[in-house]
């Protein structure tokens, strides 16, 4: 652990820099960066890169064909002492399409900063920037190289970036994910549910609903019975949920429907439950012997189990105490790229980003005066490992 005064010293140094942090956040947020719009995302990527280069960081821009480019920033202050790597992971893409700023402008009111992507998660990138600046100013000789990796497609599944951050994670001793924290107390996310999607398709047999109903096999009726069966698999106590979010079927009311489908949302807190749920789905059999079922899909983000974050959280909590800050933890129902790094067996601590709320909505905001605290905590964590 570092000198017990360091976390407090970091915080005192960062508090006067809050106006600079807010100005940097404004620049990042007003550069819109939708996941699916490469030109806009690349523009934002360039602004973020400029800010890090200005602070003396070594920045590598990794070109992407269809998504925004990635940013890889490395800090190796003393190569002779370097023994291992720490990965700080986040994303700059948002769920908001270009033009959202016109109806949802960046603004500051009541101690909060509002705007698309402020909370999820551009403030986290700003906090990391000032954390690194603080370490450099104090000339802290880190024991491990630090890699900051900012991706551009987390909000749409990380298909393009996953191979890059998984490669960095495999080289790392720990991963710190700067996704936003939870709730007004800024809880860290020490566990996350695995997330997936499956499709249940029922094939029946069409027939005239009035003249020959007995000759048909009603796919909607079969699907309804299957969904009633699946609903019983929910186990809220153990964090297992399966929910039908989309249903389609039939052509006309006087035709026995030949096909029907449901798209299911899958979530589980433990890898064992995730695998069990997938096995149960794929072992479904029709109630009506004439019907045929087809099940596709499954989990695409494994759970982040608490055992992968417990030690890092204990360290973070101790460092926060040294700053006279209370730090709590929670379990999150949604996934992040931290799910993937934890699944590789790398200790991963999530939710280290901004404190605020309203993600993915017009109410999205951060609590401004918490930014120096979160930046100091990250700096202290990097200095302690």
């Amino acid at each position: 652990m570092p000198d017990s005064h360091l976390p407090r010293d970091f915080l005192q140094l960062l508090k006067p820099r809050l106006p600079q942090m807010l100005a940097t956040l404004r620049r990042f947020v007003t550069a819109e960066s939708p996941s699916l719009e490469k030109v806009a995302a690349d523009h934002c990527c360039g602004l973020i890169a400029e800010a890090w280069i200005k602070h003396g960081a070594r920045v590598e821009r990794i070109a992407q064909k269809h998504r925004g480019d990635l940013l890889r920033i490395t800090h190796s202050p003393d190569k002779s002492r370097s023994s291992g790597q720490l990965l700080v992971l986040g994303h700059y893409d948002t769920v908001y399409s270009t033009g959202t700023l016109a109806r949802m402008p960046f603004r500051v009111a009541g101690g909060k900063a509002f705007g698309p992507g402020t909370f999820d998660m551009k403030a986290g990138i700003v906090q990391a920037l000032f954390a690194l600046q603080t370490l450099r100013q104090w000339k802290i000789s880190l024991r491990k190289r630090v890699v900051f990796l900012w991706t551009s497609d987390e909000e749409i599944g990380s298909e393009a970036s996953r191979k890059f951050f998984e490669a960095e994670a495999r080289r790392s001793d720990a991963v710190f994910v700067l996704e936003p924290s939870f709730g007004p107390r800024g809880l860290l996310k020490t566990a996350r549910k695995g997330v997936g999607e499956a499709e249940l398709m029922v094939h029946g047999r069409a027939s005239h609903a009035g003249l020959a109903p007995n000759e048909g096999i009603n796919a909607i009726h079969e699907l309804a019975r299957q969904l009633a069966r699946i609903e019983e698999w929910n186990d809220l106590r153990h964090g297992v949920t399966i929910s039908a979010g989309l249903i389609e079927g039939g052509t006309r009311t006087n035709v026995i429907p030949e096909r029907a489908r449901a798209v299911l949302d899958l979530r589980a807190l433990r890898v064992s439950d995730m695998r069990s749920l997938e096995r149960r789905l794929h072992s479904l059999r029709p109630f009506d012997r004439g019907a045929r079922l087809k099940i596709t899909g499954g989990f695409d983000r494994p759970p982040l189990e608490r055992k992968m974050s417990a030690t890092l959280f204990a360290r973070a909590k101790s460092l926060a105490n040294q700053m006279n800050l209370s730090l709590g933890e929670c379990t999150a129902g949604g996934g992040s790229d931290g799910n993937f790094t934890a699944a590789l067996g790398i200790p991963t601590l999530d939710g280290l980003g901004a404190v605020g709320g309203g993600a993915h909505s017009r109410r999205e905001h951060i609590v401004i005066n918490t930014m120096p605290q979160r930046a100091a905590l990250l700096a202290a964590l990097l200095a302690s490992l």
Side-chain angles (χ1 to χ4, degrees), residues 41-362:
D42 280 346
H43 173 66
C44 180
C45 179
L47 287 179
I48 295 172
E50 287 175 10
W52 284 75
I53 292 169
K54 181 180 177 181
H55 286 84
R58 179 187 169 193
V59 178
E60 176 189 2
R61 185 163 173 166
I62 304 171
Q64 299 294 291
K65 185 174 182 180
H66 301 294
R67 305 292 177 234
D69 294 345
L70 314 183
L71 286 178
R72 182 180 187 271
I73 298 119
T74 55
H75 178 62
S76 304
D78 189 345
K79 293 182 180 178
S80 65
R81 295 188 59 209
S82 178
S83 59
Q85 175 174 297
L86 302 174
L87 175 61
V88 181
L89 182 60
H91 66 92
Y92 68 85
D93 63 310
T94 75
V95 299
Y96 305 95
S97 59
T98 298
T100 299
L101 279 170
R103 61 181 183 278
M104 187 180 164
F106 181 87
R107 63 188 177 91
V108 175
K112 300 175 181 178
F114 296 81
T118 49
F119 182 53
D120 188 13
M121 53 149 279
K122 291 181 178 179
I125 297 175
V126 174
Q127 289 161 190
L129 172 61
F130 281 81
L132 177 59
Q133 184 185 26
T134 299
L135 291 170
R136 290 171 62 90
Q137 183 170 339
W138 273 74
K139 296 182 172 57
I140 300 296
S141 185
L142 301 182
R143 287 182 287 274
K144 300 179 187 295
R145 176 176 63 252
V146 181
V147 172
F148 301 84
L149 186 64
W150 309 134
T151 69
S152 60
D153 64 345
E154 191 275 343
E155 296 289 5
I156 54 172
S158 307
E159 182 180 354
S161 61
R162 180 176 175 180
K163 64 181 180 181
F164 293 97
F165 65 71
E166 285 191 336
E168 291 294 346
R170 289 189 179 96
R171 292 190 283 266
S172 301
D173 302 305
V175 179
F176 299 110
V177 184
L178 294 194
E179 287 283 343
S181 63
F182 180 80
R185 293 171 50 209
L187 304 179
L188 300 194
K189 297 169 181 176
T190 53
R192 280 186 179 272
K193 287 187 177 183
V195 182
E197 183 179 291
E199 180 185 84
L200 171 57
M201 175 72 78
V202 178
H203 296 273
R205 184 166 61 239
S207 183
H208 195 292
L211 299 179
N214 58 309
E215 296 179 9
I217 297 173
N218 193 310
I220 291 178
H221 289 177
E222 176 68 30
L223 179 61
R225 296 176 75 183
Q226 294 291 343
L227 292 179
R229 168 194 278 167
I230 288 170
E231 185 182 13
E232 296 177 357
W233 300 353
N234 281 283
D235 185 349
L236 297 180
R237 181 180 175 186
H238 293 98
V240 177
T241 61
I242 179 167
S243 172
L246 176 67
I247 292 179
E248 296 176 344
T251 55
R252 299 172 65 93
T253 57
N254 62 347
V255 177
I256 301 294
E258 183 177 24
R259 290 195 305 172
R261 65 186 282 265
V263 181
L264 310 170
D265 179 270
L266 315 175
R267 297 182 191 256
L269 267 177
R270 297 180 298 187
V271 172
S272 59
D273 289 331
M274 175 187 80
R275 291 172 178 161
S276 174
L277 191 55
E278 288 183 326
R279 283 195 300 269
R280 295 181 80 174
L281 272 174
H282 288 277
S283 65
L284 284 173
R285 296 294 179 266
F287 287 93
D288 189 319
R289 292 183 180 180
R292 181 167 55 88
L293 308 182
K294 182 179 180 182
I295 298 96
T296 56
F299 281 83
D300 51 28
R301 283 184 195 261
L304 191 169
E305 298 191 27
R306 190 184 182 279
K307 64 184 179 181
M308 299 307 302
S309 61
T311 301
L312 290 176
F313 175 71
R315 183 178 292 264
K317 187 176 180 67
S318 175
L319 293 168
N321 287 340
Q322 293 170 33
M323 292 187 282
N324 295 319
L325 299 175
S326 175
L327 194 64
E329 62 178 308
C330 72
T331 296
S336 81
D337 289 338
N339 291 54
F340 292 122
T341 62
L344 296 174
I346 313 302
T348 299
L349 186 58
D350 205 335
L352 282 161
V355 178
H360 300 187
S361 78
R362 292 178 65 90

